[in-house]
């Protein structure tokens, strides 16, 4: 029956209703009407993890402080991954307690990335040194075997075994778990990714206990057309409210891809101030889509993000100077030049 319905011309709005109805068994008639888009700034983690020169913990803390003051409500601050794999995140146990002791209770979510139970246990341990709890953990898997092995030394299925153990630890400690699924458009090692595999793995991540899955175009090769094709398939399997988009800007498509996802009803967007970022294990990947560019476009379309674009742009300019690199955000550069 679903195949018959989907063969007919269909609007995005209808598609989303069908997707929800299929999963929930109820018939819903409208798409999301929310005007608010959640922005999850991942620059202290995804943005910095690939920097060759060591970035001082104090610099990371100031970045987090500036993002907080610019109105970000969700910031991914570090990764409890093996420091042998990602040395740049090796200061997680110093940084995270400092973040929690300064900001815990201010209404902002300071989340961390972890690949396994050990990472979550370390995050819990480091938060407990200042009498705090971990705000949220993000686990990460891939929709391609090549990237899964390069990034985490394990197959997709072995990754899920690790996630189940990790989620058990998170549950026992009352910590919400977000999921990342990388290479949802293509993999630098395996080539194009099938949208139906992305849908299957997204559903699997939700089934094991993630509250949301962030779909990552890790190497930024997607276009609005491929993003739409991928999301259309995913939304046949899972509710829109449990999907986020994580775009990289390698081919300059980042904002267009985010807007396509938002047009389709997605209301959770990952981005990185100054367009910082890239994954050390994704050959050819450049920075994340810049938070400034995304916020500028969303505000221009009448969406609300709760973010002060001037303060955000100054933050992008500041961190780019600190890292001695060009500010990759066009909106950020233009805004700062007029301040
Ligand atoms: C998954 C592992 C650990 C497997 O790495 P492995 O070497 O296969 O692990 P292992 O289980 O055999 O253990 C080896 C050693 O690592 C230790 N270990 C084990 N776990 C941890 C941990 N959590 N923290 C610290 N240490 C850990 C473990 O204790 C042991 O220590 P030793 O006995 O040798 O001293 C490794 O591959 C790893 O840490 N990978 C992380 C890679 C990474 O962080 N990549 C970037 C993030 S993903 C990304 O950027 C994409 C995303 C999310 O942004 C979305 C997108 O753009 O698509």
């Amino acid at each position: 029956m679903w195949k018959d319905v989907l063969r007919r011309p269909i609007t995005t709005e209808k598609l989303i209703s069908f997707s929800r109805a299929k999963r929930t068994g109820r018939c819903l008639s409208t798409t999301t009407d929310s005007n608010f888009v959640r922005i999850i700034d991942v620059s202290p983690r995804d943005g910095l993890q690939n920097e060759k020169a060591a970035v001082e913990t104090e610099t990371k803390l100031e970045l987090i402080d500036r993002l907080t003051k610019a109105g970000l409500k969700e910031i991914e601050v570090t990764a409890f991954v093996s420091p042998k794999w990602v040395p740049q995140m090796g200061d997680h146990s110093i940084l995270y307690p400092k973040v929690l002791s300064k900001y815990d209770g201010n209404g902002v979510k300071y989340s961390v990335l972890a690949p396994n139970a050990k990472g979550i246990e370390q995050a819990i341990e480091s938060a407990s040194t200042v009498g705090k709890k971990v705000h949220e953990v993000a686990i990460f898997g891939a929709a391609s075997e090549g990237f899964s092995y390069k990034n985490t030394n394990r197959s997709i299925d072995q990754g899920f075994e690790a996630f189940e153990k990790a989620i058990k630890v998170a549950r026992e400690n009352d910590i919400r778990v977000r999921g990342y699924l990388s290479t949802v458009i293509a993999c630098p090692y395996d080539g194009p990714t099938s949208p139906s595999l992305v849908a299957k793995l997204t559903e699997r991540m939700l089934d094991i206990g993630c509250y949301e899955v962030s779909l990552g175009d890790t190497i930024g090769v997607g276009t609005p057309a491929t993003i739409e094709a991928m999301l259309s398939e995913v939304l046949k399997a899972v509710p829109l409210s449990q999907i986020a988009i994580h775009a990289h800007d390698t081919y300059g498509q980042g904002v267009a891809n985010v807007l396509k996802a938002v047009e389709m009803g997605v209301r959770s967007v990952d981005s990185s101030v100054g367009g910082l970022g890239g994954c050390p294990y994704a050959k050819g990947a450049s920075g994340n889509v810049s938070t400034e560019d995304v916020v500028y476009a969303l505000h221009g379309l009448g969406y609300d993000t709760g973010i002060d674009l001037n303060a955000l742009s100054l933050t992008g300019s500041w961190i780019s100077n600190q890292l001695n690199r060009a500010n990759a955000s066009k909106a950020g550069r233009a805004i700062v030049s007029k301040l």
Side-chain angles (χ1 to χ4, degrees):
M1 175 216 169
W2 283 100
K3 276 191 189 132
D4 292 343
V5 171
L6 293 171
R7 248 179 236 130
R8 282 182 239 139
I10 189 166
T11 63
T12 301
E13 197 175 62
K14 276 187 193 154
L15 183 59
I16 290 158
S17 299
F18 290 146
S19 134
R20 283 177 173 169
K22 186 187 173 210
R23 193 170 170 90
T24 61
R26 287 182 298 130
C27 191
L28 300 169
S29 59
T30 53
T31 181
T32 175
D33 55 2
S34 170
N35 205 36
F36 189 83
V37 179
R38 284 171 57 211
I39 302 289
I40 299 97
D41 190 287
V42 295
S43 58
R45 195 279 300 173
D46 206 357
L48 298 181
Q49 67 185 11
N50 205 25
E51 284 296 312
K52 296 289 167 278
V55 181
E56 297 293 329
T57 307
E58 285 309 313
T59 306
K60 296 177 184 176
L61 288 168
E62 183 162 349
L63 172 61
I64 294 162
D65 190 62
R66 287 173 182 252
L67 290 171
T68 302
K69 287 177 178 152
L72 267 301
K73 289 287 174 238
E74 298 186 50
I75 308 172
E76 194 174 78
V77 294
T78 189
F80 285 84
V81 296
S82 165
K84 286 182 196 151
W85 282 67
V86 185
Q88 193 63 261
M89 296 288 111
D91 61 351
H92 45 51
S93 296
I94 299 165
L95 180 137
Y96 199 43
K98 288 193 177 184
V99 170
L100 292 179
S101 54
K102 184 162 181 189
Y103 304 108
D104 187 47
N106 69 353
V108 178
K109 193 196 288 171
Y110 299 96
S111 61
V112 299
L113 190 79
N116 50 19
K118 182 178 173 118
I120 299 186
E121 281 158 1
Q122 286 186 346
I124 293 167
E125 168 67 25
S126 87
S128 74
T129 60
V130 288
K132 303 291 181 190
K133 293 185 79 173
V134 173
H135 285 189
E136 182 173 298
V137 166
I139 57 173
F140 54 102
S144 59
E145 294 291 355
F147 184 70
S148 184
Y149 274 108
K150 288 276 182 200
N151 198 35
T152 51
N153 199 25
R154 60 197 185 199
S155 67
I156 294 174
D157 280 342
Q158 286 167 336
F160 272 92
E161 283 168 30
F163 299 154
E164 285 183 25
K165 291 182 191 147
I167 287 175
K168 186 167 178 289
V169 173
R171 278 219 178 104
E172 285 163 1
N173 289 276
D174 202 19
I175 301 168
R176 286 225 300 177
V177 180
R178 187 174 201 240
Y180 280 109
L181 189 65
S182 290
T183 58
V184 298
I185 301 296
C187 170
Y189 310 101
D190 298 353
T193 305
S194 132
S196 62
L197 178 63
V198 176
K200 213 171 82 187
L201 294 172
T202 303
E203 192 167 25
R204 200 167 159 193
M205 287 186 108
L206 293 175
D207 286 346
I208 62 169
C210 296
Y211 77 90
E212 168 177 272
V213 177
S214 176
L215 300 170
D217 176 16
T218 315
I219 51 173
V221 290
T223 63
T226 51
I227 292 287
E228 183 170 27
M230 180 274 296
L231 278 177
S232 299
E233 201 60 32
V234 170
L235 292 176
K236 290 179 200 166
V238 307
L240 183 56
S241 59
Q242 290 183 286
I243 295 302
I245 192 82
H246 180 105
H248 284 255
D249 206 26
T250 320
Y251 287 82
Q253 303 295 297
V255 172
N257 291 343
V258 166
L259 294 184
K260 171 51 74 181
V262 170
E263 181 193 310
M264 293 180 76
V266 172
R267 291 291 179 273
S268 300
V269 175
D270 299 348
S271 57
S272 186
V273 76
L276 303 179
C279 177
Y281 299 103
K283 219 167 39 181
S286 78
N288 291 75
V289 64
S290 101
T291 309
E292 302 92 305
D293 291 356
V294 167
V295 170
Y296 181 81
L298 289 173
H299 288 184
L301 283 165
Y303 291 99
D304 181 18
T305 64
I307 293 170
D308 174 343
L309 193 49
N310 287 351
L312 180 71
S313 300
L314 287 168
T315 302
S317 170
W318 172 82
I319 188 66
S320 302
N321 284 337
Q322 293 294 311
L323 301 177
N324 206 16
R325 53 145 74 206
N327 182 353
S329 171
K330 282 196 170 178
R333 291 202 306 266
I335 290 164
V336 168
S337 74
K338 290 186 184 160
L339 291 176

